[in-house]
Amino acid sequence: MDLTPFEADARLARDSELLTRIGLCELRLMRDARWPWLVLVPQRTDVFEMFDLTPLDQTMLTFEINLVADALKRATGATKINVGALGNIVRQLHVHVIARSEGDPNWPGPVWGFGMAEAWDNTDKNAFTAKLLEHLNS
Amino acid sequence: MDLTPFEADARLARDSELLTRIGLCELRLMRDARWPWLVLVPQRTDVFEMFDLTPLDQTMLTFEINLVADALKRATGATKINVGALGNIVRQLHVHVIARSEGDPNWPGPVWGFGMAEAWDNTDKNAFTAKLLEHLNS
């Protein structure tokens, strides 16, 4: 059994902050205020594709993606939730869950690779995070 | 019980062609030769978000995404499989499964919204499809 503590990839750790852990995944918030943008990182080392996970972990990941996506939709009232596992840059498996609304930056195009990140205002970030966690628990 | 035959959204039907059906989903090939680009469409009407599916359908969809992603990786030898459910334009739930390789168009950025689709050469398309279906069954 590998007892090394799980660590998110260095770029993921730089670009996002840990909000909480839910079963399989770390739930992280991207340091980019342009969209309510979450990332789920399964706490498994050396896993690059979803199909590299065990069947149980695949089911857990699906459950957690849908739990978080549903809470994010209710917390934001977004038009559409975008879910994506790309990994072209950061290879460690991670799943983006993003609240999109008509007229947001690059709508209806994707968020990845668009423009430059904008820092969160701390008050806004704390309010968003509190609301999200409340919806995650209800 | 709704006995209306399932029909993919008109834009999905125009932009992709049906390859086969696997349990829950239609497996479709995008009419864009720039990337090996598949789309899974759960045969359910009025479903927009993954979390709108029943828990059993969510599990089926996960199984089918991973089955197709694994086969696509083996069939193409791609660097990374990109999986995404966006739906900002076509609201009917559909999941993209795309084989990405270093140096392909817009690498390492996303495929969505990038440039213009290029038609498949029929011989190439038939060869790719045959290889994919062979890997799906092995």
Side-chain angles (χ1 to χ4, degrees), chain A residues 62-80:
Chain A
T62 301
F63 177 79
E64 295 179 12
I65 290 170
N66 287 321
L67 186 81
V68 165
D70 184 26
L72 182 61
K73 181 140 187 177
R74 285 182 288 115
T76 59
T79 309
K80 191 68 192 64

Side-chain angles (χ1 to χ4, degrees), chain B residues 61-74:
Chain B
L61 178 58
T62 301
F63 177 79
E64 295 180 11
I65 289 170
N66 288 321
L67 186 80
V68 165
D70 184 27
L72 182 61
K73 181 139 187 178
R74 285 182 289 115

